């Protein structure tokens, strides 16, 4: 630690701190334009000039100057104040004084500092810049006439996002922030540059002219898209969510968001939101009262309870709060007496609810998000981990570029993570991940690299015995990954002091289930890399509360039907009443034709949702639900953080929260309704061991990361065989960077960037087929066919094609059946 004096105040800080850091820790404010806590110090704006007595009063930038023992610093001498005024005058020399129409007014650091330092005149005169304003993309407006050259946009895009869309071009007075060939901005559109811009050079176009910053009500909550659990501040006015507000001190991610988090909030205000209950009359859905709609639902559930609860089933989205999911489970298990409940098609949670639960004793990851930057070796399953959880991708970027984390990727294609410094991507045949992890374990056992603790765990002997069929030479032939790569990766993983495996799961990844989760956990157990910092397996649930749904066991646990069996029951007549909450199986579940036939066949279908989805259009009763912005509750992230969701706006139309709807039905079925969220959470804490001791009101802004009690064991994992089809190509599905499930289809921002589905294929395959970018192709499987636009790239291996699963029109589930690989033929 280092001791120094700032403005007469004694301060003690770590030896790697800067003067700026030291002053901030002591509550002493030093003005600055070019600094952000996530970025390397830059020292470009010179607003943070201070005097150091040991340097004879020399003025130096506080943000780049490290502290030294005994240093005496003055931050507000008359000379420093004059220097800062001079800096502001020079910045204003070229800067347009267009505050009345600038969208950053009220949130502009330059404006605020000019006011604070009373710079009401300028000793310098020059012509203003006349740079052309970039209006060519719908999300980010670029006006370089307002730029103050802080470089924060270029730095955050390079250091954290690792895209590099911006850079300084030209020199002297002609210098400016430019893009590739100084053309329109073309990037990931995560909005990180907008969030850190201290002026109005970069503004959010969806928010432009919507409101002044000072008129916004700011509500802290949690993002409702993926399982990362990013904290979010919503800017609200006139009962509408108008923007997201950047806060560098918010969450583990320091306010960093992806496209859907930053720009995907518009679904809350959508004109397409369901606002009234609907009841089918004479084959047509018509508006109804809540009394009528709930009365019909209650009657069906009550009848089923009395004559046969097994004829009722429920499918629910893991986007609901913990309290809502728990009440849904109680409604079925206790209120009706049915165990026919599931979510995410039944397979998309198996890695947690079956794999981790059996191997670890709990359905959660034996690692946390903080382990990403503290590990030595990071082994990522599929480059899609960046697309599924972009902010965790930012954590990977930081770990590799700042902490020297050794990044290894096993994937069926290359991706953005493959481009990181010194990253090694081992490309294998689709759906051979389980084989590969078993082969890695085989090498470690055969070469005596296993940890001494492994042999004492239950299941070890059977596990080692079953590795006999996973010799590297055999697996190399089956997976297409060279034997040398298998042995090298195994040795490097075993010898690393700390190693972490990242495994994304979700509806688009049917192969990422129980077997793969257990194969990765086995590898970590074998090398003693569980229960230590920077070690373990981080299983990345797809939706915002996928982990909560796993914790609460929102799946059949007493012999009930899983999701696909529920649909089979609908088709056969065994299931007569189906209650679907927030899921859209028609689009997101595999084999669309089969799903539609099942929903058409069921006697009574209830759908509770935000929008008139393809599934809702088939319902007998439609119940309008609230978005995350209209209710309170908790979400649990992939990193096991239980966080508060806070109501930001009043409900839209006649919509009700899922909790209120379930509670009404629960009470009409003869059960005691919950008096509120606190009571529901208290009951959760009493039945879920990991939540024990927690209270709803006791969760602060950072939430609580729960701990788990390990019951470790080896479980032999067996890969399903993948038979190829002669002359066919391997289709793999996944997530598009800007989308998450089907909810993002209603978000303005994600749809601007990626508005439709596509099929991505290798440039060599495209050449053989005579295919060019954006050409419409017919993709055909044994299940059906679909027409998709072509996207030609270099990242796909020959013979392998990729398609995202989110889109309703030309939906890829028209040709998939739930297998990890779908064999297809492609024609023009």
């Amino acid at each position: 630690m280092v001791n120094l004096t700032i403005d007469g105040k004694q301060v003690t800080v770590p030896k790697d701190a800067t003067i700026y850091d030291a002053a901030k820790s002591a509550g002493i404010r030093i003005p600055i334009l070019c600094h952000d806590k996530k970025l390397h110090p830059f020292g470009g704006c010179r607003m943070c000039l201070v005097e150091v007595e040991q340097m004879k009063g020399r003025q130096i930038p506080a943000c780049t100057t490290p502290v030294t023992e005994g240093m005496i610093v003055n931050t507000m001498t008359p000379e420093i104040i004059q220097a800062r005024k001079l800096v502001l005058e020079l910045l204003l020399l070229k800067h347009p004084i267009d505050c009345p129409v600038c969208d950053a007014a009220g949130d502009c650091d330059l404006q605020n500092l000019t006011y604070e330092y009373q710079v009401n005149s300028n000793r310098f005169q020059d012509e203003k810049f006349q740079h052309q304003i970039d209006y060519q993309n719908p999300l980010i407006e670029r006006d370089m006439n307002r730029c103050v050259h802080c470089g924060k946009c270029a730095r955050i895009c390079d250091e954290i996002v690792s895209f590099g869309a911006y850079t300084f071009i030209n020199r002297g007075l002609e210098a400016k922030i430019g893009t590739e060939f100084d053309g329109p901005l073309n990037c990931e559109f995560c909005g990180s540059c907008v969030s850190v811009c201290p002026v109005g050079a970069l503004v959010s176009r969806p928010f432009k002219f919507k409101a002044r910053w000072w008129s916004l009500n700011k509500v802290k909550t949690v993002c409702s898209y993926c399982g990362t659990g990013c904290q979010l501040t919503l800017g609200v006015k006139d009962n509408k969510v108008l923007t997201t507000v950047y806060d560098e001190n918010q969450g583990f991610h320091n306010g960093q968001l992806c496209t859907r988090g930053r720009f995907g909030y518009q679904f809350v205000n959508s004109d397409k939101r369901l606002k009234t209950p609907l009841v089918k009359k004479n084959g047509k859905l018509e508006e109804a009262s809540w009394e009528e709609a709930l009365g019909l639902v209650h009657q069906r559930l009550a009848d089923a309870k009395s004559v046969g609860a097994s004829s009722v089933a429920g499918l629910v989205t893991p986007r609901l709060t913990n309290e809502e999911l728990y009440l849904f489970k109680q409604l079925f298990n206790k209120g009706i007496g049915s165990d026919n409940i599931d979510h995410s098609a039944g397979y998309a949670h198996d890695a947690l609810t079956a794999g981790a639960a059996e191997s670890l004793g709990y359905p959660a990851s034996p690692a946390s998000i903080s382990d990403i930057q503290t590990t030595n070796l990071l082994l990522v399953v599929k480059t899609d981990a960046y697309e599924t959880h972009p902010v965790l991708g930012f954590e990977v970027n930081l770990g590799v570029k700042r902490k020297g984390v050794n990044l290894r990727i096993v994937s069926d294609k290359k991706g953005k993570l493959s481009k990181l410094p010194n990253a090694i991507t081992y490309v294998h045949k689709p759906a051979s991940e389980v084989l590969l992890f078993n082969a890695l374990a085989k090498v470690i056992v055969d070469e005596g690299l296993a940890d001494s603790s492994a042999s004492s765990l239950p299941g070890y002997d059977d596990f080692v015995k079953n590795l006999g069929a996973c010799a590297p030479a055999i697996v190399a032939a089956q997976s297409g990954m060279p034997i040398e790569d298998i042995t090298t990766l195994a040795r490097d993983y075993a010898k690393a002091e700390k190693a972490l495996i990242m495994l994304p799961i979700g509806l688009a990844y049917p192969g990422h289930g129980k077997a793969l989760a257990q194969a990765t956990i086995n590898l970590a157990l074998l090398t003693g890399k569980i229960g230590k910092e920077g070690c373990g397996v981080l299983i990345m649930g797809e939706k915002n509360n996928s982990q909560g749904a796993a914790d609460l066991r929102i799946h059949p646990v007493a012999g009930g039907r899983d999701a696909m069996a529920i649909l089979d029951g609908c088709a056969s007549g065994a299931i007569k009443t189906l209650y679907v909450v927030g899921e859209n199986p028609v689009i997101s579940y595999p084999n669309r034709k089969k799903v539609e036939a099942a929903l058409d066949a069921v006697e009574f279908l209830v759908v509770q949702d935000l929008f008139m989805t393809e599934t809702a259009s088939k319902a007998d009763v439609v119940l309008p639900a609230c978005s995350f912005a209209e209710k309170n509750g908790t979400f649990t992230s992939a990193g096991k953080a239980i966080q508060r969701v806070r109501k930001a706006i009043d409900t839209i139309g006649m919509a009700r929260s899922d909790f209120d709807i379930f509670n009404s039905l629960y009470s009409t079925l003869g059960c005691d309704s919950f008096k509120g969220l606190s009571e529901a959470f208290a009951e959760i804490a009493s039945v879920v061991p990991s939540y024990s001791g927690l209270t709803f009101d006791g969760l602060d802004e950072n939430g609580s990361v729960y701990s788990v009690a390990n019951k470790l064991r080896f479980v032999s994992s067996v890969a399903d065989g993948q038979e190829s089809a002669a002359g066919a190509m391997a289709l793999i599905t996944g997530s598009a960077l800007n989308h998450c499930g089907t909810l993002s289809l209603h978000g303005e921002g994600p749809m601007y960037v990626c508005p439709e589905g596509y099929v991505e294929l290798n440039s060599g395959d495209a050449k053989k087929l005579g295919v060019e970018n954006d050409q419409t192709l017919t993709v055909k499987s044994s299940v059906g066919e679909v027409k998709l636009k072509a996207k030609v790239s270099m990242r796909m291996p020959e013979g392998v094609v990729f398609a995202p699963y989110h889109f309703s029109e030309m939906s890829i589930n028209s040709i998939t059946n739930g297998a990890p690989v779908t064999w297809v033929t492609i024609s023009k």
Side-chain angles (χ1 to χ4, degrees):
M1 302 295 285
V2 173
N3 301 294
L4 68 158
T5 303
I6 305 178
D7 291 345
K9 188 174 184 178
Q10 295 293 318
V11 184
T12 301
V13 291
K15 62 181 180 180
D16 61 348
T18 63
I19 294 175
Y20 180 85
D21 296 331
K24 187 175 181 180
S25 70
I28 298 170
R29 177 177 170 272
I30 296 176
I32 200 163
L33 285 168
C34 68
H35 187 74
D36 187 282
K37 66 184 295 183
K38 297 188 294 296
L39 304 176
H40 288 305
F42 185 59
C45 70
R46 268 9 195 201
M47 277 301 298
C48 68
L49 292 174
V50 296
E51 290 181 355
V52 178
E53 287 191 11
Q54 289 87 337
M55 296 181 180
K56 298 180 180 179
R58 177 183 168 194
Q59 296 177 356
I60 57 174
C63 71
T64 58
T65 305
V67 296
T68 58
E69 184 66 33
M71 179 181 275
I72 300 174
V73 181
N74 295 301
T75 70
M76 287 296 285
T77 65
E79 291 79 13
I80 287 295
I81 292 173
Q82 284 302 115
R84 290 174 182 164
K85 285 186 174 182
L86 175 62
V87 169
L88 289 169
E89 287 182 70
L90 291 171
L91 288 174
L92 292 168
L93 178 63
K94 293 286 190 178
H95 193 90
I97 310 300
D98 59 352
C99 300
V101 294
C102 179
D103 219 50
D107 192 47
C108 173
D109 293 346
L110 179 62
Q111 184 188 57
N112 295 337
L113 288 171
T114 301
Y115 179 84
E116 178 183 348
Y117 283 86
Q118 302 175 27
V119 181
N120 54 8
S121 63
N122 201 328
R123 290 167 287 174
F124 309 102
Q125 291 186 353
D126 199 356
E127 293 182 1
K128 302 295 184 181
F129 285 126
Q130 297 296 323
H131 297 306
Q132 185 176 356
I133 301 173
D134 179 7
Y135 296 111
Q136 294 190 41
N137 82 77
L139 295 179
I140 301 172
E141 183 176 303
R142 297 172 54 242
D143 185 351
M144 292 300 100
N145 300 300
R146 297 171 178 165
C147 180
V148 292
H149 296 184
C150 68
K152 287 163 77 172
C153 58
R155 290 151 56 206
I156 199 167
C157 195
D158 175 57
E159 295 177 27
I160 299 179
V161 183
S162 287
F163 191 92
Y166 299 102
T167 187
F168 280 100
I169 58 176
N170 301 329
R171 302 186 67 180
L173 287 175
E174 298 303 318
K176 69 172 183 176
I177 294 287
T179 57
E180 186 177 24
F181 301 110
D182 205 19
L185 183 63
N186 184 21
C187 62
E188 293 178 8
F189 298 104
C190 64
S192 297
C193 55
V194 176
S195 66
V196 297
C197 181
V199 291
L202 299 169
V203 298
S204 166
R205 293 198 69 186
F207 177 60
K208 188 176 180 182
F209 298 147
K210 293 290 195 307
R212 287 301 197 183
W213 285 95
W214 57 80
S215 68
L216 293 174
N217 180 33
K218 301 173 180 64
V219 181
K220 293 183 181 296
T221 186
V222 182
C223 184
S224 68
Y225 280 109
C226 79
T228 301
C230 294
Q231 292 183 21
L232 197 67
T233 299
L234 300 177
V236 176
K237 184 183 179 185
D238 298 332
N239 205 47
K240 286 189 175 182
V241 176
L242 298 182
T243 189
T244 54
V245 181
Y246 175 62
D247 180 357
E248 69 172 2
N249 297 311
Q250 192 171 20
F252 76 89
H253 49 104
N254 296 314
Q256 187 88 356
L257 298 173
C258 67
T259 304
R260 51 210 188 209
R262 180 74 61 195
F263 295 117
Y265 56 84
Q266 297 96 336
F267 74 89
V268 174
N269 313 314
S270 173
D271 292 335
K272 296 180 180 179
R273 283 280 303 272
L274 290 169
K275 297 180 176 65
T276 61
L278 303 171
V279 172
K280 185 170 287 184
K281 298 176 181 178
N282 300 317
K284 183 180 179 181
L285 286 168
E286 297 181 4
E287 292 186 1
S289 66
W290 272 105
E291 183 180 14
E292 179 185 4
L294 286 180
L296 287 171
V297 177
H298 160 70
Q299 190 60 52
R300 290 292 303 200
L301 299 182
D303 289 346
K305 180 179 180 179
S306 62
V307 299
S310 62
S311 67
V312 181
L315 298 173
V316 63
T317 177
R319 295 199 188 280
L320 269 57
T321 66
N322 287 313
E323 297 74 22
E324 290 168 338
L325 289 172
Y326 180 73
L327 186 47
F328 178 82
K329 183 178 178 69
Q330 290 295 93
L331 173 65
F332 271 80
N333 291 174
K334 186 178 177 181
I336 303 170
S338 171
D339 189 44
N340 298 329
I341 61 169
D342 209 346
H343 70 282
S344 298
Y347 62 79
H349 57 75
D350 265 3
L352 291 168
T353 57
E358 187 177 4
S359 295
L360 305 170
Y362 52 86
S365 301
S368 64
I369 291 172
S370 61
D371 290 316
I372 296 175
Q373 290 197 50
T374 59
T375 192
N376 301 126
L377 185 146
L378 187 60
L379 178 54
V380 180
V381 183
K382 270 198 177 67
T383 55
D384 294 42
Y386 188 91
E387 279 77 11
T388 59
H389 298 73
V391 174
L392 292 187
F394 298 158
E395 291 292 297
V396 174
N397 295 342
L398 288 169
V400 172
K401 299 175 82 171
R402 291 190 183 172
K403 305 293 181 64
V405 172
N406 186 354
L407 177 60
R408 306 296 180 89
I409 306 155
V410 289
S411 182
D412 44 30
K413 58 186 171 300
K414 291 188 175 182
K416 184 179 176 181
L417 292 179
S418 304
K419 301 176 182 178
L420 289 175
N422 303 314
I424 299 176
T425 303
Y426 301 102
V427 178
H428 56 77
K429 292 179 181 177
S432 58
E433 293 93 346
V434 176
L435 283 172
L436 281 174
F437 275 93
N438 285 340
L440 296 177
K442 175 68 173 172
V443 172
I444 290 169
V445 170
D446 289 349
E447 297 190 3
L449 298 175
D451 187 78
S452 58
S453 64
S455 59
S456 64
L457 293 176
Y460 175 79
D461 292 336
D462 288 341
F463 167 67
V464 172
K465 181 181 178 180
N466 288 327
L467 291 178
C470 300
I474 297 173
V475 173
Q478 293 175 320
S479 69
M481 183 169 159
I483 186 172
E484 297 82 5
D485 289 346
I486 295 174
T487 54
T488 298
L489 179 58
R491 292 166 185 163
D492 290 348
Y493 177 84
K495 294 176 181 178
E497 180 183 357
K498 296 185 288 187
L500 174 69
I501 300 171
M502 294 177 67
L503 173 65
I505 62 176
L507 283 163
Y509 305 97
H512 290 201
K514 175 182 177 180
L516 182 54
Q518 292 182 330
T520 61
I521 292 169
N522 287 339
L523 191 66
L525 292 175
L526 188 63
T527 53
K529 293 181 171 63
I530 278 185
K532 303 174 183 177
E533 181 188 61
C535 294
V537 181
L538 183 61
I539 303 173
M540 300 151 58
E542 179 182 21
K543 306 289 174 56
N544 52 294
N545 204 23
S546 288
Q547 184 58 58
D551 293 335
L552 297 173
R553 303 177 78 189
I554 308 299
H555 55 86
V557 295
R561 293 174 179 260
D562 64 14
M564 302 316 288
I566 287 172
L567 292 175
D568 288 340
C570 291
S572 68
I575 299 295
K576 301 185 183 301
T577 300
L578 178 62
Y579 192 172
V580 180
V581 183
E583 294 269 81
N584 189 8
V586 172
I587 301 304
S588 58
Y589 284 23
N591 200 333
R592 178 169 181 165
K593 186 181 295 184
K594 180 179 178 180
V595 172
E596 288 186 309
L599 296 180
D600 289 338
V602 71
E603 280 186 16
F604 194 76
L605 175 62
V606 183
V607 175
Q608 190 168 303
D609 213 318
L610 303 177
F611 298 94
M612 180 54 70
T613 64
E614 289 77 5
T615 300
S617 67
K618 296 177 177 294
D620 295 285
V621 176
V622 178
L623 305 177
C626 291
S627 71
F628 80 110
E630 298 155 65
K631 59 190 177 185
N632 296 303
T634 59
F635 292 154
T636 306
S637 74
K640 305 191 293 291
I642 306 170
Q643 302 179 98
R644 284 285 300 271
V645 182
R646 292 177 174 85
K647 183 175 180 178
I649 61 173
D650 294 332
T651 55
I652 303 297
M654 293 171 60
R656 293 183 182 179
S657 72
D658 297 280
F659 186 87
D660 289 341
I661 298 170
F662 297 152
N663 219 11
S664 296
L665 292 171
Y666 194 51
S667 63
T668 61
L669 291 171
C671 301
D672 293 332
S673 61
F674 288 92
K675 296 180 177 64
L677 298 174
S678 295
E679 182 182 347
F681 189 88
E683 191 165 314
I684 291 171
S686 70
V687 297
V688 180
S690 301
Y691 291 47
S692 178
L694 298 175
T695 64
F696 185 80
D697 296 324
L699 296 172
D700 60 19
E701 283 191 2
N702 294 318
S704 177
V705 177
Y706 65 75
S707 57
V708 291
N710 289 324
K711 295 180 181 178
L712 308 177
R713 65 178 295 110
F714 285 95
V715 181
S716 297
S717 54
V718 180
D720 293 330
Q722 291 297 319
E723 296 183 5
S724 61
M729 303 180 77
L731 168 68
I732 50 177
T733 58
S735 291
L737 173 62
N738 306 107
H739 288 281
C740 178
T742 58
L743 178 64
S744 52
L745 299 183
H746 303 282
E748 214 172 292
M751 289 300 286
Y752 275 140
V753 182
C754 185
E756 60 185 354
Y758 56 86
V759 59
E760 185 176 358
L761 66 165
N762 176 273
S763 57
D765 289 331
K767 187 175 181 180
K768 292 176 186 176
L769 294 168
V771 171
E772 297 180 353
N773 263 324
D774 294 327
Q775 192 168 358
T776 300
L777 303 177
T778 299
V779 186
K780 187 175 183 179
S781 74
S782 60
V783 175
E785 66 177 52
V786 64
K787 293 186 181 297
L788 295 167
K789 286 187 177 180
K791 182 178 179 180
V792 181
S793 76
M794 296 295 294
R795 75 176 189 132
M796 301 301 301
E798 289 192 7
V800 180
V801 296
F802 168 83
Y805 87 102
H806 318 279
F807 300 95
S808 55
E809 294 183 11
M810 302 181 293
S811 57
I812 197 66
N813 72 335
S814 299
I815 61 172
T816 60
N817 61 6
V821 179
T822 301
W823 297 97
V824 299
T825 56
I826 296 178
S827 58
K828 292 192 289 184

